Amino acid sequence: MPSMSVSLHSVPGTGAALGWADGHTIVVDRPEGRAGGTGLGFNGGQLIAFAIGGCLCNDLRYTAEKMQIAIGSLAVHVNVQLDGEPLMVRTAEVTVHLEGDTPVSDFDQLLRQAVQVSAVRNSVVAGFPVTVKGHWEEGEKAP
């Protein structure tokens, strides 16, 4: 079974965290003034929306190549609705805009097939267990 890992570490002097995987980085933070946030990066809700939309963008390209369909332009917009205490994403709505010299019926088929194989979308819809383990180190003692 394939696996992927990412790592995040706090950015000294900020409330942000720097995440990286395979040589790529991203900054994760909260809005300025919220729980020490400095507004330097994306929050969790935005990252969920990016994961859904980004994965679908890739799957549209993979599927188009497999179907031998040329995509001239691709745009994906993801809107997530959050609610509850604790705050959770309750719904996600994805809008896809494709342009190219391809019949609309082929774009319809392309979108249907890409959605069927979209790992992030399918994972979110099905749900999956997340385990969290803690590891603490004692800091320096104050004089």
Side-chain angles (χ1 to χ4, degrees):
M1 172 174 18
S3 68
M4 296 178 199
S5 295
V6 302
S7 295
L8 296 107
H9 288 271
S10 59
V11 178
T14 75
L18 180 65
W20 69 92
D22 298 329
H24 304 287
T25 60
I26 190 165
V27 177
V28 182
D29 201 356
R30 289 148 326 284
E32 190 170 351
R34 299 224 20 220
T38 49
L40 295 175
F42 301 106
N43 67 38
Q46 292 167 326
L47 290 171
I48 289 173
F50 273 127
I52 293 167
C55 186
L56 184 57
C57 283
N58 288 342
D59 290 325
L60 284 162
R61 295 288 185 181
Y62 289 136
T63 304
E65 181 178 87
K66 191 175 187 179
M67 294 176 66
Q68 298 180 341
I69 293 175
I71 297 174
S73 175
L74 163 64
V76 173
H77 176 81
V78 181
N79 183 57
V80 294
Q81 295 291 320
L82 297 96
D83 190 27
E85 185 63 40
L87 197 59
M88 292 175 43
V89 173
R90 299 298 180 174
T91 64
E93 182 178 292
V94 181
T95 304
V96 176
H97 181 82
L98 297 168
E99 291 182 7
D101 294 329
T102 301
V104 170
S105 61
D106 287 351
F107 278 157
D108 286 340
Q109 183 180 1
L110 168 62
L111 181 58
R112 279 193 305 277
Q113 288 186 22
V115 166
Q116 287 177 350
V117 299
S118 184
V120 172
R121 181 220 167 257
N122 294 336
S123 298
V124 168
V125 169
F128 53 90
V130 177
T131 57
V132 179
K133 301 175 187 176
H135 176 78
W136 293 267
E137 294 182 18
E138 190 171 330
E140 291 184 31
K141 302 283 186 201

